[in-house]
Structure formats: structure tokens, C-alpha cells
Amino acid sequence: MESVPGGLDLGPADLRAGTFFVNAPPATVWGRCIDGPRTIRPHCETMAVFSIEAERESIADRFLTEGMDIMRKHRRNGRPRRNGQTRRTFLRRAGAASIGPWIVPESVFGADGRPAPSNRITLGFIGVGMMGRGHLHRFVQYPEVDVLAVCDVDRWRREDARATVERTYGEQRRAGTFRGCHAYNDLRELLARPDIDAVVIATGDRWHATATVLAAKAGKDIYCEKPASLTIAEARAMIDTVRRYGRVFQTGLQQRSAREFRLACQLVRDGALGKVQFVYVHFPGTSGEVDLPAEPVPDGLDWDLWLGPAPWRPFNSRFHHYGRPHRVVPWDFCRDFGGGNLTSNAVHAFDVVQWGLGMDDSGPTEIIPPQAGPYADLTYKYANGVLVQVVNRRLDRRRNVVPDGWDEITSIQPFGALFVGERGWIHVGRNGFLESFPADIVTNYPARYSHAIAVADHHHNWLEAIRTRRRPACDVAIGCRSTIVSHLGCIAYWTGRTLKWDPAAETFPDDDEANRMRRRAMRQPWSV
């Protein structure tokens, strides 16, 4: 096949009367099937248009061939022809079929206001807790998407997700055009479906890498919630696998698609502050070892699959509340499952830091936990001399360098960052928050707006990347490197000492203890 416009199983017999074409202004893409049937599924915003004459001749060909085969079979078996059927009458009826009206539902060609089915991206959802449900409620509203399946080890959640899809599509679509949404307990069953183009992974951190590797190997494009991984080694495996299988991967660090963050980071990179000296972010603290008592596993929860690659431990409702979720990441206080504030929340801010400093291909070179001194807050040093500090909400002159023009009662924006340079500072946060000192540093101030718009923009950036096969705003390498910054802070806390880091080699030079913490054993049969 010389091009891939369609969404049907097509072979030479289907196109015997000529070529098919896709209307793709300003150019027209032509293709001809040259080697046997195959499934063709495009990712473009154009509508597949097929030559009606070619399709009619194809129908007549199959009608004639299959019908004559039946007649010959009957003749061999000595059965009489029914209803006076002869070769002549058969040909006459076949000809009538080829020139008669060919009625196709309007939805096949997008006449219901949605793209034609062949131009929609089909999705499966893996994990439909609080974050997964939020994504699902948005994606089912996008006309260029079809959600075909959901997966969760919590029966209430997967049935609730399935009901959401079926209710929404049932209301949106004409009767008979929606065939239902499948619900799975095991992600491997969902990934085995050839009709799913891409998956949204919103499980706990412990599953992100394994689900990503399995999805990439199954030929799916991926949207994965933050943090990208549970460990540094998993992050590297994700990058390598996504690249090897040529998949499109978007990390759920949606501030990459937010206008205020784009402007702030562009200003910092363009030198509006002069040399950057400090960056302050919020959400200190990591996870620890816990030992909670065993509780009965709720009926409808597959606890073994919930744990997945993580070490086995007994169920406790603090890890997972069966049914409607009460919190986004209830498990992150436990080191087996997450990294606490640094990986659940501060990772958003670290992504902004990496972006603003132009360090998407690199990272810090030294990590200093509070217990090691000389700084009272977790501190990262970059090779260019910039210090990044994770503070508890506000700056304090007894602990931090407070820049001119800064009011100490001002809180650092959650998930945002305060960049401080020789010429002033820029403070950026969600919902269009953007301030500077002096005030004229920011001259093209975006209006305040809902962060929900940035989330939708991030989704559409991923969908567009799937269609164009380009890298999205927060590609796997970008998202994984920002996540690694979080992991470095966790390891510094856990060792209690200053660590040196080589961001190119992704190792702690001459530090066996810290290097061992880059990875964790995975429970069988799971791996990356």
C-alpha cells in the first residue's frame, strides 16, 4: 500500500475498477493497493472518499464469484436450481446490484458532524480512578475520538467508566451507530485488541512503566499520567521502548500546553531575567516505609493485579478505597507505590524548571537534602550554577534568598515556579497566573482562564501528534527526565546525604548505594 487512507480491510478485488483517494487539501493523496488485504487506518483530519464505481464493481465481482461458486457446488451435488435460477438470470440480477443505489449511513462519511469513523482515533483507558475518570469525561466529548474500552482492577470503577461511555455516546449518536464499550479487569486483554489505536494510562505510579512498555510493544500510542515512572531505571526503559517501537507518547504534565507557562519559560530562556540565579518551587517531602494491618479485600477488587509489579503486601483501605475514588493518589505515602509530594505534586514544578532553564535534555548535577546542609530546604544545583529549592509554600529570609520586590506573605504557586535572575523575577502558576518584577518584564500578559482549557489543549496536542506522527509537547524523554528530578530528590532524602548526579549517563558517580536505588525488583511476571 503506497498510502494509508481508509479504515477498512481493502485488497486488490476491492479496488479493481481503479484507485481510491483521500481529499487532503491542498493536496490529494493517491494510493493503490498492490499486495493483498490489510487493515488501513489513517490518523489525519481528512475524510476518506472512495470511488463509488470501484466499490459497485467490487460488490458485483464478489456477488458473481460467490454466487457462481454456489451454483457449481449445487450442480456437483445434483441439487436442482431453485426459483428458476440460471446463469443468465443470475448475471442480470448481479448487474442490477452494481448499478442500483448504494445506501450508506450518513455517519460513515461524518455527516453527523463528527469525522468519518476511519478518521477517528480509537482509545482504551487503563486505570479509571480519579485522574482516569477526569480524562475519560473529557475524551468522550471529543468528536475525533472513539473510546472503545476501559480497564480497571476495581469492578465499581470499570463499570462506572463503561456506563459513562455508553451513556455519553448513546446521547450523542443516532440509534444503532454505537456498539458499546468493553470493560476489562486485565490490561493485557485490552492491549490485545487490534482495533484500539492508543491508550490513556492513569494507574498508580507502580504500573506506569510496565503498562507503557506493554502498550508500545502492542503498537499503541500512549498518554501516561505523571509521574512517568516509579524509578529512574523504569524511566530509561520507557524512553528506549517508546523510541524502539515508534510510538507517540504524551506525559500528563499538562502545563506544557498552558499559555502562561509557555510565555514564562520563553521569557526566561530568552534572557528577560538576565542570568538566572534561583528557582523556587513548592511541595517538599517524600514517602517512607509503612506497615499497615491487613484488611479484608473488598469483593470486586483484584488486589493482586492492583499491586502488579510492586512487592506484595496485604490490602489496606488507605492504599485503595474501593468504589468511587476519594483522593487522586492515596497510596503515595508508601515507598513501594510512590514518592510522596515530590513525585505526585512537585514533578509539575520540576517540569517547568527543566523547561525554563532549557534543560529538557539534561538535569541537575548535585542534590542536597535538608539533613545534609548547608541549605534548610531540598536543593538542586545545575551545571550553570542555578540553585533550585523546594520550599514549604513561602520564602523565609532566615532560610532563603528573598528577591527585591517580593512580599514574603506571598505563597509560591502550587505546581508553578518563581524564577529569580539578575534583572528581576517571574512568578508563574496555573489558571493564567503570571507576575513579574519589574512589572514590564511581562508585556504580553495572558488573561486569567481555567486550567481545564490547558488540559484539553494537552489532550488535543497528543491527538494531533498521533495523526502527524510528530512528538507531542511533553514527549516521553521530556516527561521522564522531569520525573527523574523528582526521583533524585527522593533518593537524597532516603540516603540523607549530598549526591552527585551525571545526567548524561544517568548514574551517581562512585556511589553504589545511590545507584542501587535507581531501580527496584519487580514482582513476577512483570518486567520492563
Side-chain angles (χ1 to χ4, degrees), residues 424-442:
W425 48 261
I426 291 175
H427 187 202
V428 62
R430 291 182 176 178
N431 301 304
F433 181 93
L434 184 57
E435 295 181 348
S436 68
F437 179 85
D440 61 1
I441 289 177
V442 177

Side-chain angles (χ1 to χ4, degrees), residues 43 72 95 108 123 140 152 155 177-178 208 215-216 227 229 279 286 288 308 315 326 339 372 475 500 503:
H43 297 301
R72 282 193 294 268
V108 170
L123 296 185
V140 292
D152 202 290
R155 183 174 60 210
T177 61
F178 174 54
H208 287 176
S229 67
V279 187
T286 186
F315 170 80
H326 291 177
D475 170 62
K500 301 289 185 181

Side-chain angles (χ1 to χ4, degrees), residues 157-314:
R157 297 184 184 187
R158 68 174 174 266
E159 292 302 329
D160 175 72
R162 171 159 60 183
T164 295
V165 176
E166 295 185 340
R167 181 175 61 252
T168 304
Y169 285 168
E171 293 170 354
Q172 289 177 351
R173 305 181 184 185
R174 297 187 177 115
T177 61
F178 174 54
R179 298 184 178 180
C181 174
H182 289 81
Y184 299 97
N185 181 66
D186 190 325
L187 79 167
R188 291 168 292 191
E189 295 179 57
L190 184 150
L191 292 173
R193 288 184 55 165
D195 57 341
I196 291 178
D197 299 322
V199 293
V200 177
I201 298 171
T203 61
D205 312 2
R206 64 200 176 279
W207 264 111
H208 287 176
T210 300
T212 291
V213 168
L214 290 173
K217 290 180 177 180
K220 316 301 184 189
D221 295 320
I222 302 151
Y223 185 108
C224 183
E225 259 302 330
K226 56 75 193 169
S229 67
L230 185 65
T231 69
I232 293 171
E234 287 180 3
R236 172 45 52 190
M238 292 169 73
I239 296 171
D240 292 345
T241 305
V242 168
R243 291 286 185 264
R244 183 179 307 120
Y245 288 89
R247 307 326 304 162
V248 172
F249 181 105
Q250 178 87 295
T251 318
L253 293 167
Q254 64 271 18
Q255 292 168 176
R256 291 274 174 163
S257 296
R259 63 192 75 166
E260 69 275 25
F261 286 96
R262 285 199 301 266
L263 177 56
C265 291
Q266 187 65 52
L267 288 169
V268 173
R269 291 197 308 272
D270 287 349
L273 300 177
K275 186 182 186 304
V276 178
Q277 300 165 327
F278 297 93
V279 187
Y280 296 107
V281 300
H282 180 36
F283 290 121
T286 186
S287 57
E289 301 288 354
V290 298
D291 184 18
L292 298 180
E295 295 178 0
V297 178
D299 181 42
L301 176 66
D302 188 331
W303 180 241
D304 185 68
L305 267 182
W306 188 98
L307 290 168
W312 190 90
R313 62 171 58 237

